[in-house]
Amino acid sequence: MTKYVYLFKEGRADMKNLLGGKGANLAEMTNIGLPVPQGFTVTTEACTRYYQDGKMIAPEIVEQILAALEATQSTSGKQFGSSENPFLVSVRSGARASMPGMMDTILNLGLTDKAVEGLAKLTNNPRFAYDSYRRFIQMFADVVMDISKSNFEAILESQKHKKGVELDTDLDADDLILITKAYKAKYKELKGEEFPQDPKVQLIEAISAVFRSWDNPRANTYRMLNQIPYSWGTAVNVQSMVFGNMGNDSGTGVAFSRNPATGENVLFGEYLFNAQGEDVVAGIRTPKPISDLKKDNEGLYKQFEDIAKKLENHYHDMQDMEFTIEKGKLYMLQTRNGKRTAQAALKIAIDLVKEGLLTEKEALMKVEPAQLDQLLHPQFDQKTLLHATPLTTGLPASPGAATGRVVFTAERAAQLFKADGKPVILVRQETSPEDIEGMVVAKGILTSRGGMTSHAAVVARGMGTCCVAGADKVKVNETDKYFEIEGKRFKEGDYISLDGSTGKVYGEQIKTVDATVSGDFATLMAWADKHRVLKVRTNADTPKDAEVAYNFGAEGIGLCRTEHMFFAADRIRAMREMIVSNNAVERKRALDKLLPMQREDFIGLYKAMKGYAVTIRYLDPPLHEFLPHTYQEIRVLAEEMGIEFDELRQTIDSLHEVNPMLGHRGVRLAVTYPEIAQMQTRAVIEAAITVNKEGGNVTPEIMIPLIADIKEFNYVKKVVVETAEKVQKEHNHKLDYLVGTMIEIPRACLTADTIAKEAEFFSFGTNDLTQMTFGFSRDDAAKFLGDYYKTKVFEADPFAHIDETGVGSLMKMAVEKGQSVRKDIKLGICGEHGGDPQSVEFCHNIGLTYVSCSPFRVPLAKLAAAQANIKNPRK
Amino acid sequence: MTKYVYLFKEGRADMKNLLGGKGANLAEMTNIGLPVPQGFTVTTEACTRYYQDGKMIAPEIVEQILAALEATQSTSGKQFGSSENPFLVSVRSGARASMPGMMDTILNLGLTDKAVEGLAKLTNNPRFAYDSYRRFIQMFADVVMDISKSNFEAILESQKHKKGVELDTDLDADDLILITKAYKAKYKELKGEEFPQDPKVQLIEAISAVFRSWDNPRANTYRMLNQIPYSWGTAVNVQSMVFGNMGNDSGTGVAFSRNPATGENVLFGEYLFNAQGEDVVAGIRTPKPISDLKKDNEGLYKQFEDIAKKLENHYHDMQDMEFTIEKGKLYMLQTRNGKRTAQAALKIAIDLVKEGLLTEKEALMKVEPAQLDQLLHPQFDQKTLLHATPLTTGLPASPGAATGRVVFTAERAAQLFKADGKPVILVRQETSPEDIEGMVVAKGILTSRGGMTSHAAVVARGMGTCCVAGADKVKVNETDKYFEIEGKRFKEGDYISLDGSTGKVYGEQIKTVDATVSGDFATLMAWADKHRVLKVRTNADTPKDAEVAYNFGAEGIGLCRTEHMFFAADRIRAMREMIVSNNAVERKRALDKLLPMQREDFIGLYKAMKGYAVTIRYLDPPLHEFLPHTYQEIRVLAEEMGIEFDELRQTIDSLHEVNPMLGHRGVRLAVTYPEIAQMQTRAVIEAAITVNKEGGNVTPEIMIPLIADIKEFNYVKKVVVETAEKVQKEHNHKLDYLVGTMIEIPRACLTADTIAKEAEFFSFGTNDLTQMTFGFSRDDAAKFLGDYYKTKVFEADPFAHIDETGVGSLMKMAVEKGQSVRKDIKLGICGEHGGDPQSVEFCHNIGLTYVSCSPFRVPLAKLAAAQANIKNPRK
């Protein structure tokens, strides 16, 4: 028979999957001899079973619960429902991963008409006993029976009114006895049955209610945001109640073993005498700092300090603890590894190494890669933030905080910023490549449409600019230059603030503090470098981006998107001339104008990377992306170019595609217009020769996108090689260079062995590969993904992490096939996933050479790469 | 050392890959003792080598050629360049597959100023000798040296003019001597060198020229149309010349061993005395029927008849032969299996079985599946066709011939046809589902855009209607109701004719003859049924289509596209109401209107299939396909539905997708609107219960499209099963049914084992699977595929046959994974490839249960399935 219930003394810290985090740690504390009020844990498997059985607790599980209850009672010497020495318990959720406040808790369970008498006698405090009973009835009714609290609050208010008092505390025991009666009557009125007087019935109902709360909307949303699988379920902890509110020799508190904001090695926390946990949280009384406990009760402080140290030494990590003091006796109610700021995480990890509690590798595992973002981007000033309420929440598309004046066009952003240098925030339905100049000056970008891999998101991450994308409550009227959120209107010049790490949008100015990188950061990065094998490159399209990335430790450029260079105002004209050319001669003339600019770009990139490899992807997007689409814009362009409006419009129409994502782009452009590949090759090679003649050491890597068949690759490679050889001869300078390919189409993975015969490197383009493997257009998926989450068909955005089952199996196949014909083939990834820690780990595991990510993600990727290698060392 | 040259006596019929068809058969005829002018074959490998070596014949190959030449000369007793007994040869191409007229041929090679004297002496006919020399110079200059014939024709004309004669034959030997001199002078003038007087130089140059002609545009186009790989190369046959023009005891002819039009077992062909091959072809003199030879020279006729019989017995097939008689001696110049009409193919195959020359299996292999189309569709009357010239050629999208009056809208097609019953042809840029009623009445459909799997092509094939698609020279002006081809304008009511088997478009009325299916057809189909294991189902959306398919022997419906049922005028209204509904209640109200119609459809389909399985695919296309897009149409619809124009327009706008192919469609619709799946399930089940209560035996197969993950399938399966159980209870009737899925997304193949745990059958949707595996949108690929063919990156349309390397490997993976968890899983294919013989063979080989194709392709698929099983019998 499956064991569904564990006494605390039967569990261990490593049984988190079964007992939940809280349950496992209660068990561990019990076993190392700390003072823990005893109890038991109903497992996560019981939760799963609860749902399988149609939301009921199976009789065999009820039996095990009652047996554990019996065992716990007999240890305590108390008795459920006793009018002498009543046994009371708390019933709390506890999942594998912490989900603070998302599920339900019930305290004081076991109180009945009889037990309340016992409690009153035992504590010699009838007021306390009836107040507890009243609170329990209200909590049980609310959590278990779904009766709104307001029903009971009305009774309380009316009693206070009757007595003419203001505060709950002004009510005496008799008042509370009356109130308790009224509560029970109300309960009966609404439920049609008496408030249950059998504590075992209360218990089973309460456990069911906690299981149910796993599926409440709040919990579902939290899980989706934190990628916690629905299938895990929650455990339920049933623990003997201890009371911090039994007088001034009692109390309760929460504390961290070190300062979670700075990492400083001192106890940090708060406590209150004569109080229960909810009083600390509720904010009615102001708790005292934990350091005061030393003065108040040095013995207790010492005992708690020892326990904190003991737990730190046991868990090798900073602890977040809850405790209660009942009549002078200290009880530990919970411990867990404490959440901390990025700054604290670094300091604590490094201090623990210094203290000999952690090895370097263990310390590396203690820092969440995603947290590093906090260190690299401005954040809101926490004190100012306390008083701000977000208007809406979009997607946290690019981290950091920003405050500034609203503008609705890229031009206006540039104008305003140039005029006074004060910050602006660009607000648009969605951005397009033409907005680039406005995006550069903006402190933050807010869009109402588009996902985590939309244009705004990708570009903002690349530049390290804060961005909130896809905030669909934001209704933008670009024509009349205003936007509305839930009826509130903002016009140009109004201040708003964005938090790109949480997606929150505020309708006011909030102070920001700049990023600060300490010496700890450098230490941690040095350790990461020592313990990783996966290289980290960057996606950079401009020398400026490349420099930022180099300073963050990027080991090369894994993706330079040449098309981004063509959107600048002085270039798009030549690009458009190229596109509307009627023949190869005209096209070549336009390309000749682009050549010197492209060459300068590459020289800049090569110099910024100081000898590291630079991978240049050839023109990729469909050409219509470069052309205007409105009547007005087309008219202006036609005039500029001296061609007929109708002719230009026809050209633009003829470039329209039904499914541009699967259309005329990538290598397909180079097959139809080899002149483009020739021009780009000339620029790549001439730039490298220029830099190498000045003492540089550049080996450019030329990358052909969107290959589905080796013949496409061969066709373009031939063009590239012929041009490269010609240019070298012209300059009388020999140069090494590689020609490789993106692997971003399923067929490329399936035929990777054939492709690797000719391609000198692979770089996985997991954005497109994900789209084609799933048959999802990321531009359109938002329309139905909402329903997918609601129905739990999907639990996370398939574009956020590499889908290891589908996309990952294609990648593995490509790696194996590629290596089977070219043993030392360079293998990289340049999709957005290159900056996602979970995906970086996968890339390490399947044996890639490097990941490439946006400049600000480089440190994060390095840490993730080190962690991956520590978990699964590469031979 | 590789052997690049084979004497005829060294080869065999089974060496076709190396020697080409012509070379292999010349060798075979030599070896079975038939009178063949001797010679040798330069192999296809030499051709490949020629291109590898930068278009030159390697010295070692030249050496082998000269050695073979020596051997052949010594057998003949003649000598190259001899003024007594000159050795002359023909140089002809000969690829693995016949490519008639696509490559170059040179006759009389070996003639020089000296050899021409020898020929004159030997034949005692100087006129003949100089005429031969003149022709050779012109041919060599044209084929080898790329000098236009017109240069020489001018000289000939001027000489005739000078002599005052009309015909070449009026010129005498002296004239021809003069002309020959003038030809040589012209040659020198244009080439800057003398006409080569060394026959060996002539030979090597001529062989090079034939190799080169493998790559001429004509040959490239032919290969693409016939899927002959460029990599094969051509062989070159060098054969001693024999002369049919050496007097009245000489002659030449071509003949088939049976009638290639009817299959009748009598010699069929033509000959001419005192003529060379080109005279027969040129049409200057009228050749006599081969039966006349019996009267002219019974001995020779008898000898030829014997040879024909011998060859038929040897090859077990009808032969197409060329022969020459030189001074009373019969020489065989070529034999090959003869091309024949579909009707003849059937008769010959069946007769050969009766004659004991073939087994049933061998006979099945002799009929080309694609040919069966000729029997099932109307064809042009061949005599009328002779005088017609096609204006342009589009894609042969749906076979058959049609003639009728041009109309430009579906409505007009229906109107005109109803008014007088005379045929109409619908001409459009492209068709859309709303055109369906016009397509039903049209005899033929012509579109200027779209490929082999465009809407027009798919629907036309389904209905057996002739269709030419993507004829891009056809400029359609739908507004002003006319179209132009190369400047020629056609307006409504003008007659045109289409050949959907060749893609040809004619600007006139051409008589058509109806399809005729003989008893031979039934015999062959019965044999095919006996020898195949792969089942053949049909894609049918209406009871009428289903009936047609049933009569062609379809064994079930593999794909019923329910959306096609919603486009009829009386239904689209309810469909649109459903789409613009604001909530589930409104949506359900609209769906309730669709339910009875849908149920009637299914009853009709079940009845038509008389107990065979019927697979019903749930709603698949994006909803915007059902909505109008022009201002006018939206206005009308808004009025009809009683909603605001702006509201409706916004709804339509909000449904717009960037990449609809990868958007909100397929199972994704059922996840967001489970009401639709509920309605469809109710219709499927109620219809089946109705039919079964009347004594039917229906087991419906419900097919969920576009699955990428098992959870999508499970979500919808649950909706289906709950509804199905409910309906059965309501009707108190138990029903078997299956729930399965399309496999059309790469991820579905990659996770097919997980999916097969829940899905009871798989049906490959290879249209979409091809699009996603290649990353090609079939709607957009036309824009660049032209360049892909030109550059030989692709040699065939990837949508025409299953891409075995890429798409096929995903299919194999899905089959293996599917069978690993559900051993007897039903495996089908319902993409367009189900009607392509090559793809049917692949489906057989990977172990599918059935293919499903449009009704008119059913016989073809059955034959292909039998051939596949004969080649590779399934255990």
Side-chain angles (χ1 to χ4, degrees), chain B residues 27 103 185 314 383 398 489 538 615 665:
Chain B
M103 290 179 288
H314 188 73
K383 274 180 206 138
S398 178
R489 184 174 289 206
T538 192
T615 308
R665 51 177 285 244

Side-chain angles (χ1 to χ4, degrees), chain A residues 199-385:
Chain A
K200 288 179 185 168
V201 170
Q202 293 174 356
L203 180 63
I204 299 301
E205 290 288 353
I207 294 173
S208 298
V210 175
F211 282 159
R212 269 201 310 277
S213 71
W214 175 253
D215 195 32
N216 74 33
R218 202 161 74 235
N220 281 326
T221 306
Y222 184 90
R223 272 196 302 274
M224 217 183 72
L225 289 174
N226 292 276
Q227 280 112 39
I228 300 171
Y230 178 74
S231 64
W232 279 2
T234 183
V236 181
N237 299 292
V238 178
Q239 188 173 25
S240 312
M241 285 292 297
V242 284
F243 295 95
N245 51 354
M246 288 177 80
N248 285 330
D249 56 351
S250 301
T252 189
V254 294
F256 294 82
S257 59
R258 298 178 191 229
N259 185 319
T262 64
E264 198 192 348
N265 188 4
V266 286
L267 274 185
F268 180 91
E270 302 173 320
Y271 73 104
L272 263 178
F273 274 126
N274 198 13
Q276 268 197 316
E278 48 184 347
D279 299 322
V280 179
V281 180
I284 298 167
R285 289 164 59 192
T286 305
K288 298 163 107 176
I290 192 81
S291 53
D292 286 5
L293 185 58
K294 203 166 182 174
K295 288 170 277 174
D296 287 343
N297 188 331
E298 195 170 354
L300 268 177
Y301 181 82
K302 189 81 188 49
Q303 190 190 353
F304 181 72
E305 202 180 23
D306 286 350
I307 288 175
K309 206 36 80 190
K310 192 167 181 183
L311 283 170
E312 257 202 1
N313 290 345
H314 188 74
Y315 286 104
H316 298 262
D317 204 349
M318 184 266 265
Q319 294 298 296
D320 167 3
M321 300 156 291
E322 289 179 23
F323 62 92
T324 288
I325 302 161
E326 191 184 73
K327 300 194 168 180
K329 181 164 166 38
L330 177 67
Y331 289 98
M332 296 300 296
L333 298 188
Q334 164 147 332
T335 193
R336 59 184 168 195
N337 293 341
K339 298 236 181 274
R340 61 207 78 175
T341 63
Q343 198 191 339
L346 291 190
K347 177 160 171 52
I348 291 171
I350 288 164
D351 285 351
L352 289 175
V353 172
K354 286 187 199 146
E355 294 164 27
L357 272 178
L358 292 181
T359 64
E360 280 178 17
K361 284 187 190 177
E362 286 165 344
L364 283 166
M365 297 305 292
K366 294 286 182 195
V367 182
E368 281 236 24
Q371 274 196 311
L372 295 184
D373 262 343
Q374 284 181 26
L375 299 176
L376 307 177
H377 298 282
Q379 302 293 321
F380 284 130
D381 173 63
Q382 291 302 310
K383 273 179 210 140
T384 320
L385 188 61

